[in-house]
Amino acid sequence: MSDHPRIPLAGVIGSPVAHSRSPRLHGYWLKRFGIAGHYIPMDVAAADLETVIRALPRAGFVGCNVTIPHKEAVLGIADIVTDRAALIGAANTLIFRRDGRIHADNTDGYGFTANLRQNAPDWQPGSGPAAVIGAGGAARAIVASLLEVGTPEIRIANRTRARAEALRAEFGARLVVHDWAQAGNMLDGATTIVNASSLGMVGKPDLLVPLDALAPGMTVTDLVYTPLKTRLLTTAEAAGCTVVDGLGMLLHQAVPGFERWFGVRPEVDQATRDAVLSE
Ligand code: NAP
């Protein structure tokens, strides 16, 4: 280790990673707080993952984000895995500690609830059932955080039913699995509705779940943020629901990592959104 002050480095490891908005987000915060640091995208193949991660601290990295397809594999590389990341089975934030150990956490659930609390201040997760569409990696983080904030029942439907059943087996009886073909019915009477599938994203098929049950009093959010206003959100808004887009989750999940790496807790505000959305 060198004895002079080093410029702190962080970044995001994935493959592909060129589409990631994280470099723009962290780059904006670094500039805003006048921190002499850098955040870079790193396209790393699965076979090189451990070698690259183990070398990063020696190159001046203080940590990094991890994205698809490496979020699960990093759990086997990290020396310390938070309970939350272990429960979810994936990590998105690594901290390279001064003692040489690699600490892995998952901040997606935090980003999810912080986004709803900021943009739907009247949201009461304990006031009624939630309906979650999808049972992939993101859905696991959403289910864990909804349970943590006291949601009494989580209805879940997924194209591949076995994945939803697996979540129920792991997370317990507060989860109720619904048939994918009947997913529209589980929205009836739910107070929180989440699209945690990739349906509706640019380049993916539309989310065709019937939305007739959407009604005022429901809080509806979509993890998909390209486009920003998905068909789910547009329909929900027209039905009088409170709607929250998925960009806020992306911004909020980045806060704990930035704070641990660079020592400043950034605020998610309109200027942050604008910076990430600008071309
Ligand atoms: P993932 O693990 O690959 O899961 C994808 C999910 O979408 C699964 O439930 C999958 O169902 C479903 N799906 C995909 N294509 C489908 C189709 N044609 N018909 C029906 N269902 C389909 O991905 P993930 O990591 O959970 O991410 C899901 C979405 O959330 C992505 O769009 C991602 O960009 C977004 N996301 C956003 C944030 C944020 O900060 N806003 C954070 C994380 C993820 P099967 O199980 O049947 O394949």
Side-chain angles (χ1 to χ4, degrees):
M1 189 67 92
S2 53
D3 54 5
H4 55 84
R6 296 169 104 186
I7 291 175
L9 304 177
V12 54
I13 296 185
S15 189
V17 82
H19 65 282
S20 172
R21 305 224 181 186
S22 295
R24 200 177 294 171
L25 170 61
H26 288 275
Y28 168 73
W29 280 335
L30 286 168
K31 201 166 157 205
R32 178 159 156 179
F33 296 114
I35 296 169
H38 297 282
Y39 183 103
I40 58 166
M42 293 174 275
D43 193 329
V44 177
D48 299 325
L49 187 64
E50 178 153 14
T51 312
V52 170
I53 288 178
R54 296 246 170 244
L56 288 177
R58 279 177 266 154
F61 278 76
V62 288
C64 64
N65 287 124
V66 183
T67 189
I68 290 170
H70 302 316
K71 284 177 153 189
E72 291 82 19
V74 289
L75 293 186
I77 297 170
D79 303 298
I80 303 163
V81 175
T82 62
D83 290 347
R84 192 167 41 196
L87 185 68
I88 295 166
N92 67 347
T93 305
L94 300 182
I95 293 145
F96 302 146
R97 295 165 36 133
R98 282 175 197 275
D99 64 9
R101 291 193 289 173
I102 296 172
H103 178 275
D105 195 7
N106 192 311
T107 64
D108 275 340
Y110 165 78
F112 170 74
T113 49
N115 184 33
L116 285 175
R117 293 200 191 287
Q118 182 178 45
N119 295 299
D122 295 331
W123 178 56
Q124 288 180 348
S127 67
V132 176
I133 300 165
R140 294 179 69 88
I142 302 309
V143 165
S145 72
L146 284 171
L147 289 172
E148 203 178 308
V149 295
T151 304
E153 175 189 332
I154 300 172
R155 304 167 181 173
I156 187 160
N158 192 49
R159 174 181 61 175
T160 310
R161 188 180 169 112
R163 280 181 105 181
E165 296 284 5
L167 280 184
R168 187 185 180 283
E170 268 181 72
F171 287 96
R174 272 154 76 192
L175 261 72
V176 181
V177 177
H178 286 248
D179 219 45
W180 180 242
Q182 311 280 319
N185 294 343
M186 75 173 180
L187 309 188
D188 199 4
T191 53
T192 306
I193 292 166
V194 186
N195 175 33
S197 78
S198 47
L199 293 173
M201 190 170 142
V202 171
K204 289 275 186 177
D206 273 344
L207 176 70
L208 294 177
V209 169
L211 301 174
D212 319 312
L214 293 177
M218 296 177 172
T219 299
V220 182
T221 188
D222 201 325
L223 266 53
V224 168
Y225 55 84
T226 46
L228 217 44
K229 268 282 173 73
T230 59
R231 190 181 78 87
L232 170 64
L233 295 184
T234 311
T235 311
E237 196 164 35
C241 308
T242 302
V243 302
V244 179
D245 69 47
L247 182 64
M249 174 173 161
L250 178 83
L251 306 180
H252 281 283
Q253 63 77 31
V255 168
F258 188 93
E259 182 179 25
R260 289 291 298 267
W261 303 327
F262 299 115
V264 179
R265 189 167 183 88
E267 196 188 332
V268 174
D269 55 10
Q270 189 59 44
T272 308
R273 275 179 75 91
D274 293 345
V276 171
L277 289 172
S278 68
E279 281 315 310

